[in-house]
Amino acid sequence: MQVKKVLSYGGIAFAAYYLLARPSDAANAVKGAFDSMINAADSLAQFVNNLA
């Protein structure tokens, strides 16, 4: 349990540092993650439409 807590805080600290040190790179990373989710949802919708 202790290791999980330390890793969680470490990940949060790293994300905060990355956001403050390189805001444009952090924004691009978030945009890329959202684009990936949108593409996955679109692919799933196409798959379901092709089933019918």
Side-chain angles (χ1 to χ4, degrees), residues 2-24:
Q2 187 71 359
V3 173
K4 185 177 178 182
K5 184 185 280 190
V6 169
L7 289 176
S8 296
Y9 287 142
I12 291 170
F14 176 75
Y17 171 76
Y18 189 65
L19 180 62
L20 294 173
R22 299 183 149 235
S24 61

Side-chain angles (χ1 to χ4, degrees), residues 24-43:
S24 61
D25 290 341
N28 287 336
V30 171
K31 184 176 185 283
F34 279 125
D35 287 343
S36 296
M37 288 190 314
I38 289 170
N39 287 337
D42 189 38
S43 296

Side-chain angles (χ1 to χ4, degrees), residues 39-52:
N39 287 337
D42 189 38
S43 296
L44 181 62
Q46 287 179 1
F47 171 74
V48 171
N49 285 335
N50 287 332
L51 288 177

